[in-house]
Amino acid sequence: MNYEFTEILETIRMTEIEHFDIRTVTLGISLRDCHDRNLEITKEKIYDKILRYGKNHVKNAKEVESQFGISIANKRVSVTPISIPFDSLSVEEYIEISKTLDKAAEDIGIDYIAGFSALVQKGMTNGERELIKAIPFALSQTKRVCSSVNIGSTKAGINMDAINMMSEVIKKTAELTKEKDSIGCAKLVVFANAVEDNPFVAGAFHGVTEPEVVLNVGISGPGVVLDAIREAGKVDLQTLSEVIKKTIFKITRAGELIGRKVAEKNGVPFGIVDISLAPTPAEGDSIAEILKAMGVEDVGAPGTTAALAMLNDSVKKAGLMASSSVGGMSGAFIPVSEDMGMIRAVQAGNLSLEKLEAMTSVCSVGLDMIAIPGDTPASTIAGIIADEAAIGIINDKTTAVRIIPAYGKKVGEMVDYGGLLGLAPVMEVRTISSQNFVSRGGRIPAPMRSLTN
Amino acid sequence: MKLSENEIRKITYETIEELGTNVSQEVIKEAVKKKVESLNNFPLKHTNENSGKVILTSFGLNKPGIVAAITTALGNFNCDIQDLSQRIIGDFFTIIMIIDISTSQKDLKEIQEEMRKTAEQLNIKIYLQHEDVFRFMHRI
């Protein structure tokens, strides 16, 4: 036999018991050729183009799933940041566009479409300003559209004016979707150093340097890593790093295979494999559990950041060896609501917002899916975003904030979205004010690190 | 290699540019056709193009007739079993088979469906996965 008995069983165990799945196959579609003077024609062009490339996306992905016996959790689409091709539009017109995106997503059978986005790290055009103003309405009037705004980069610094706008947008979105636990905020990401080929919705968009259409894949598999670490038992950290690397190598290879096959079926070029460890609310599919298996009593204990740093680094090293098309975020995600271990750590009082912030400095992506009290002032949210952006631009990495000021809720209450978005306990936020700092506005200049030429 | 609609369109534009606008449509058509054909003949090596081999894994509580049931179903579909290996640990069995389905008139999906029924009847698990996934994960 070409394969060892144990090798075959290992693959079966990964896919059947340890929740190894491909987290997402995301079809990136450029909308740059869809602008027209007439809004109705613009909408038609957008709809037609998404349907042209995406109509068989779900079907093709399902066929690959059954062919290889590896499930693909999400089939999604990302588009060019809407503010770029459609810069001349107004708030109302942008809302119209978001509805077109929603309709197209529905008609091709996907749950989310991402790219209602703007890149404003240095400054904003009139169109970008209009788009940002449209976000709360777009997210509350559509079901499937996701939005992201990049407010800082290592090369440009941090746009504090944009942060102030975004913190108001987040509050407004929370209010407009208050009936559903402010779910709009779960579809809105504020980035620093956003990447153009990220397949993970809600933060995905099809960057301007990307081709006409491309298929990117995001792997998952915390459950697989968790079991490998548990099996390894009490070994030193170098050995543990080897264990993680071997596991990640295999799942990255599988991820690339699946991505390439789906791309082939869709007749589009294959882009990248994003080797992020992304948890799901399923038991055992958890980054928190991995950190605990590595040795900390609970997430938040001293040592957590170091453990996460090692995990993240081992993932990257193995991923790079396994695929020559690594891209996207490529790190470990630590969303609170989507990870049962994280939720428990917050509820037990072991994990605070501050510790999470420290953890984001060594992994991707940032303060993700964190619920905070609904009465948190916009200036405090702006402060939180600025802190994350600072970690990002100084360390030359992507950071993001996807925070939910749960309307009308207090610390200790829960927001519950069900499905992959999970549920989150409302976390405590410091009440000391950031007002006078953030309200200065302007831009934090680009750091030393930007001058690399 | 199959060219997409966009690629063909691009080639057409390029050809028109090369030949200028004075030539007839027929000439352009012929030139494009030639180019597309030459590209299609280009031996681009694809990532381990389907070998037609599938790996069947089955496990569950051991009882008589399991191998018989699986192989009968495969035989009915004209699948060629190329390798077979079995282990028994306590009351449980594990069977792994390498099957060539290129001889079968059915595709993988239909065979999987049939195996699902067999598995249900015997109260065991049967998985069928394309060989590539194992090659990618366990071979560099």
Side-chain angles (χ1 to χ4, degrees):
Chain A
M1 200 176 267
N2 278 331
Y3 305 96
E4 301 282 335
F5 216 84
T6 48
E7 289 174 341
I8 290 175
L9 291 186
E10 185 184 7
T11 300
I12 298 284
R13 196 182 67 197
M14 282 181 179
T15 52
E16 296 304 322
I17 301 166
E18 297 167 342
H19 306 289
F20 169 54
D21 56 4
I22 303 302
R23 181 42 101 76
T24 178
V25 286
T26 304
L27 193 62
I29 303 173
S30 166
L31 296 184
R32 280 193 285 168
D33 58 352
C34 293
H35 185 260
D36 192 275
R37 229 188 283 175
N38 181 330
L39 181 67
E40 289 309 311
I41 295 176
T42 301
K43 280 159 62 180
E44 226 166 79
K45 280 183 170 178
I46 293 174
Y47 180 85
D48 288 349
K49 189 157 188 190
I50 293 171
L51 254 77
R52 185 161 80 241
Y53 285 115
K55 64 176 184 291
N56 291 324
H57 183 43
V58 175
K59 178 174 145 270
N60 290 338
K62 283 195 171 148
E63 276 175 25
V64 172
E65 271 183 300
S66 76
Q67 189 179 6
F68 295 100
I70 296 177
S71 77
I72 302 171
N74 300 312
K75 297 94 182 163
R76 289 169 176 170
V77 167
S78 67
V79 295
T80 310
I82 292 297
S83 68
I84 294 173
F86 313 113
D87 202 35
S88 60
L89 302 186
S90 65
V91 175
E92 291 71 30
E93 289 167 325
Y94 276 122
I95 298 170
E96 288 289 297
I97 299 277
S98 75
K99 288 178 183 164
T100 304
L101 292 173
D102 201 41
K103 177 87 176 63
E106 187 184 351
D107 290 352
I108 61 171
I110 57 169
D111 58 351
Y112 289 114
I113 184 166
F116 196 76
S117 305
L119 312 174
V120 296
Q121 57 267 41
K122 192 94 172 265
M124 52 181 93
T125 63
N126 294 334
E128 282 162 344
R129 188 168 289 114
E130 293 290 302
L131 179 123
I132 290 175
K133 283 188 208 155
I135 290 173
F137 306 100
L139 295 183
S140 58
Q141 292 173 29
T142 63
K143 252 177 87 179
R144 295 174 171 80
V145 175
C146 293
S147 172
S148 57
V149 174
N150 193 62
I151 48 79
S153 76
T154 301
K155 286 285 179 196
I158 300 173
N159 186 344
M160 192 59 88
D161 294 328
I163 290 181
N164 285 327
M165 255 184 104
M166 282 312 295
S167 53
E168 295 290 351
V169 163
I170 290 171
K171 291 275 286 184
K172 182 85 182 160
T173 307
E175 190 189 334
L176 289 179
T177 53
K178 64 183 173 194
E179 271 79 39
K180 289 186 185 152
D181 280 352
S182 303
I183 196 172
C185 297
K187 299 181 285 180
L188 174 58
V189 185
V190 184
F191 272 115
N193 285 328
V195 287
E196 303 208 318
D197 51 7
N198 165 24
F200 287 101
V201 171
F205 59 84
H206 184 74
V208 287
T209 57
E210 294 287 307
E212 179 76 3
V213 55
V214 72
L215 189 120
N216 296 324
V217 55
I219 61 161
S220 175
V224 182
V225 177
L226 176 63
D227 277 13
I229 291 174
R230 281 185 181 154
E231 208 169 282
K234 196 162 170 50
V235 292
D236 73 12
L237 292 171
Q238 269 155 308
T239 317
L240 195 61
S241 165
E242 281 301 308
V243 170
I244 298 169
K245 275 159 63 182
K246 279 184 187 145
T247 313
I248 294 290
F249 178 85
K250 288 171 190 158
I251 62 181
T252 307
R253 294 277 292 175
E256 176 157 354
L257 171 70
I258 300 289
R260 283 191 187 280
K261 292 293 174 188
V262 177
E264 205 174 277
K265 270 200 194 288
N266 273 330
V268 307
F270 175 68
I272 56 99
V273 190
D274 189 323
I275 45 173
S276 296
L277 281 183
T280 66
E283 201 58 53
D285 209 19
S286 152
I287 303 292
E289 293 299 327
I290 294 179
L291 298 172
K292 281 160 78 176
M294 285 174 83
V296 293
E297 188 185 334
D298 197 0
V299 184
T304 304
T305 310
L308 182 60
M310 186 183 120
L311 171 68
N312 201 46
D313 187 60
S314 307
V315 167
K316 281 184 197 151
K317 284 171 178 162
L320 276 178
M321 167 79 185
S323 166
S324 49
S325 320
V326 173
M329 309 276 194
S330 289
F333 289 177
I334 49 169
V336 172
S337 77
E338 298 168 11
D339 188 323
M340 283 314 291
M342 292 283 180
I343 295 169
R344 278 194 288 265
V346 171
Q347 285 173 329
N350 293 333
L351 182 59
S352 66
L353 199 60
E354 285 75 15
K355 186 64 180 177
L356 270 169
E357 184 185 316
M359 289 162 71
T360 64
S361 65
V362 297
C363 79
S364 66
V365 75
L367 293 173
D368 197 14
M369 288 304 284
I370 289 166
I372 56 171
D375 58 2
T376 309
S379 60
T380 302
I381 296 175
I384 292 171
I385 296 172
D387 281 345
E388 269 307 307
I391 290 172
I393 69 156
I394 297 291
N395 295 305
D396 222 344
K397 71 185 283 294
T398 308
T399 48
V401 175
R402 184 158 52 141
I403 204 162
I404 303 146
Y407 194 85
K409 298 225 169 178
K410 303 240 166 333
V411 176
E413 286 185 70
M414 300 288 284
V415 293
D416 189 353
Y417 303 122
L420 276 175
L421 291 175
L423 70 166
V426 176
M427 291 179 79
E428 190 187 348
V429 179
R430 297 216 165 211
T431 47
I432 39 181
S433 171
S434 330
Q435 174 70 33
N436 290 344
F437 176 65
V438 297
S439 64
R440 285 173 187 268
R443 195 156 51 86
I444 296 183
M448 275 299 290
R449 194 170 273 249
S450 66
L451 302 173
T452 48
N453 294 337
Chain B
M1 186 170 93
K2 212 169 153 12
L3 291 171
S4 72
E5 197 182 318
N6 263 337
E7 286 164 321
I8 295 173
R9 192 175 302 138
K10 207 171 133 211
I11 292 168
T12 313
Y13 286 141
E14 279 169 9
T15 316
I16 294 172
E17 231 163 65
E18 274 167 33
L19 298 173
T21 44
N22 294 331
V23 289
S24 74
Q25 273 196 2
E26 296 303 310
V27 177
I28 294 172
K29 226 181 189 175
E30 202 52 43
V32 171
K33 211 171 154 196
K34 249 189 203 158
K35 271 194 187 174
V36 170
E37 266 169 18
S38 73
L39 277 174
N40 276 341
N41 291 335
F42 186 69
L44 196 78
K45 221 176 141 192
H46 257 279
T47 45
N48 305 308
E49 202 35 72
N50 291 353
S51 61
K53 277 192 204 163
V54 168
I55 293 186
L56 179 150
T57 320
S58 173
F59 38 77
L61 259 179
N62 194 22
K63 57 179 167 257
I66 288 170
V67 175
I70 296 175
T71 49
T72 307
L74 290 173
N76 288 344
F77 279 168
N78 217 15
C79 298
D80 180 25
I81 300 172
Q82 301 197 324
D83 205 339
L84 190 157
S85 149
Q86 180 186 261
R87 298 234 173 119
I88 301 215
I89 304 163
D91 292 337
F92 292 89
F93 75 94
T94 310
I95 297 171
I96 293 173
M97 293 183 198
I98 299 184
I99 306 160
D100 188 348
I101 61 165
S102 57
T103 50
S104 175
Q105 65 281 18
K106 303 276 181 187
D107 66 11
L108 179 57
K109 214 173 180 179
E110 290 165 307
I111 300 171
Q112 278 173 332
E113 183 52 34
E114 184 62 29
M115 283 298 147
R116 199 184 56 76
K117 285 183 204 153
T118 311
E120 242 168 46
Q121 281 164 15
L122 295 169
N123 200 17
I124 56 172
K125 295 262 182 202
I126 301 180
Y127 301 107
L128 266 90
Q129 287 161 290
H130 196 275
E131 181 206 28
D132 280 355
V133 69
F134 299 94
R135 179 162 44 214
F136 261 72
M137 285 174 86
H138 301 289
R139 297 286 175 271
I140 297 177

